[in-house]
Amino acid sequence: MLVPCRWRLRNWHFCEDFSRIILAAKTARIARHFLLWAGFSGMILKVVGVKNGEVSAVFRQMAEILEILGEDAYRIRAYQRAAQNIENLPEDIAAIRERGELTKIPAIGKEIARKIEEILDTGTLQKYEELKQKVPPGLVELLQVPGVGPKTARMLYEKLSIENLATLERLAREGRLKGLPGIKAKTEENILRGISLMRSVQERRPLGLVLPLVRRVTALLQERATVSRLSPAGSIRRYRETVRDVDILAASKEPEKVVDAFVSLPFAAEVIAHGPTKGSVRTPDGLQIDLRVVPEESYGAALCYFTGSKAHNIRVRELGVRLGLKINEYGVFRGEERIAGTTEEEVFAAVGLPYIPPEMREDRGEIEAGLDGRLPQVVALTEIKGDFHVHSKYSDGAASLGEIAEKAKRLGLEWVAVCDHSQSLKVAGGLDAAALSEKRAAIEAFNARSPDVKLLCGTEVDIGVDGRLDYPDEVLASLDVVVAAIHTAFRQGKEVQTRRLLSAINNPYVHAIAHPTGRLIGEREGYALDLERVFEAAARTGTFLEINAYYKRLDLNDLYARAAAEKGIGFVIGSDAHLLDQMEFLDLGVGVARRGWLTGQQVINTLSYKELLKALRQKRDLMLHI
Ligand code: DGT
Ligand code: CA
């Protein structure tokens, strides 16, 4: 498991990458985003091939329409499961189809496979088009409100022509639903609560903004209550890139006292629930934190249960059922007898599984891999020896070389690649050739007197619209580390963007592509890219791909990283820090790597300084036949 408490995050709210600053300076509209950020409206970006999103959306909508039409629940569930599994695919569904392996995807039988082919070939599905004609488009939206089932949705539409959420909300507020069939006094209130719940459920915040708070809460609880065990659970512990709320689990002999201490923490602006073993509070900015306290002997089972994911838990429970075991948050039971539950290891062992790290618990094949003894040993934070991407005062970073090295030492790192922007990025203080030589001399002098932490002279070289790099080859060749990235002209078409990356990848001096897709969580989708071609070229040339650990980037994300790793690509993790404390984001990058099933061997940051220097020569030696 990651050791989340090792590093503390401070000043995170002041952090911005340079593109953010440029944007913010440009318009007041964007400045509003800064304010809105605390409330992060949670548009989770498509993380897999565009096609996967399109295909799964068709199945999801078909399930919803069938529900309104009151069709067979079995069929509805089949479409829902198909949609979910397609969304979770770590590779493009078109590629799977080409290999003739659609029916290998869980929940995809021959019939659904045929439908997928039709969508891939024609962009839609005849059956879906026919179904759509049967209901007004806005009606599907009503179904998403907790407490509004297909019957009510249809009735609301027929009686009051309500076909979207906004109208439903307005009419419920105005008390105009009263008197309709099945609408009781409390129903309007419930519908309004359902709508607001639905909106709050949709709200997801970036993990990097929530973790510091979680660490403070757990530290304070440990101080103020007697707990023998304490851990974050839920999506936080799984290192999902965004989280809806915070789940915390404790073991104690005095559960009531722990809950009392919890609901009186300074973060608890509102107490939502206060029971003998459970507490639930909301922070001033609306984040919900739930605490459960269990006896020590149930701690492992409860930690498994509350860590989730739900899909993973269901699979583990199914394995239990086959062995005649009942698994819940209290333990693993054979009949009345509890046979396991104190530790997570025990719970997994009871169903024949090895310990599965929390980040892998997404039902993305970890159960099968565990049963077959194929579970990879994913990279751990303690293995990380360096940061591959930090900005210094030489460009738009805030720290000097000495400060960066000092911070690295405190984080237990051996080396840092100082990768400042290249010359044409004037707005980000890009370095010209003269400034670069000055920096190189300063780094050499620093290294000569630094026995522990070594710095590498690097650049984050800009890739032009035509694919040309912002420094000539002889300058690139003289640098220890070259990461290349797109910082301008985000809206070019897929072919142009793909070629830009390919041209950087094909340069023998480029070690890695930084933030390869360019997405910003909740703010900007990645540029249009043919990732398959990018992956193919990176694998062929031995170019690394970055997992940019800045909390808004996390780019490549977990699914892409896993897909790239399967092609034999290696990774660098870079914090992309512009402020010293942002180097602590490296932790988030490791979380992404673990969620992407990467081992220490696949991540260059696990190398010592000496090994790293050797590894950095490989691509150019290979490409230049040295
Ligand atoms: P989030 O909050 O949306 O970021 O994601 P999670 O995974 O933290 O979800 P949450 O907070 O609803 O639930 C926390 C964990 O509790 C979840 O990961 C698994 C477990 N859990 C919740 N509901 C169920 C359930 O109905 N069945 C099972 N097996 N587990 C559940
Ligand atoms: Ca949660």
Side-chain angles (χ1 to χ4, degrees), residues 201 203-205 233-238 240 242-247 290 292 302-315 317 327-329 361-362:
V201 165
E203 206 171 274
R204 302 188 65 86
R205 303 170 193 232
S235 48
I236 307 253
R237 185 163 180 245
R238 303 199 312 278
R240 262 192 81 171
T242 60
V243 299
R244 182 177 54 86
D245 60 13
V246 178
D247 306 283
D290 296 337
R292 300 257 179 167
L303 193 54
C304 278
Y305 183 90
F306 291 112
T307 296
S309 65
K310 196 167 158 182
H312 167 92
N313 286 351
I314 290 172
R315 295 292 311 279
R317 272 209 309 267
I327 302 177
N328 56 29
E329 61 266 52
R361 301 182 197 169
E362 296 288 352

Side-chain angles (χ1 to χ4, degrees), residues 450-577:
S450 168
D452 35 28
V453 176
K454 300 290 182 192
L455 300 178
L456 292 106
C457 186
T459 182
E460 181 180 14
V461 66
D462 193 48
I463 308 170
V465 184
D466 55 2
R468 230 176 306 171
L469 298 178
D470 198 22
Y471 289 128
D473 277 3
E474 56 274 21
V475 172
L476 297 178
S478 73
L479 292 161
D480 300 327
V481 167
V482 178
V483 299
I486 289 179
H487 292 108
T488 52
F490 298 126
R491 299 217 175 136
Q492 296 292 320
K494 191 170 185 171
E495 189 55 30
V496 172
Q497 301 298 54
T498 305
R499 279 178 194 235
R500 285 171 90 179
L501 287 194
L502 292 185
S503 113
I505 289 171
N506 286 322
N507 183 305
Y509 304 108
V510 170
H511 295 111
I513 300 297
H515 43 77
T517 75
R519 66 96 175 243
L520 290 177
I521 295 174
E523 283 179 35
R524 184 176 78 203
E525 289 203 39
Y527 9 86
L529 270 184
D530 185 339
L531 267 181
E532 283 196 30
R533 278 162 71 199
V534 171
F535 288 173
E536 181 281 318
R540 178 171 41 76
T541 56
T543 307
F544 293 94
L545 294 180
E546 181 183 66
I547 293 178
N548 188 293
Y550 186 58
Y551 79 95
K552 268 191 230 179
R553 290 198 182 272
L554 302 184
D555 177 11
L556 289 179
N557 69 21
D558 50 0
L559 293 170
Y560 284 146
R562 186 165 165 196
E566 276 165 17
K567 306 247 186 283
I569 294 167
F571 294 84
V572 303
I573 303 179
S575 67
D576 204 354

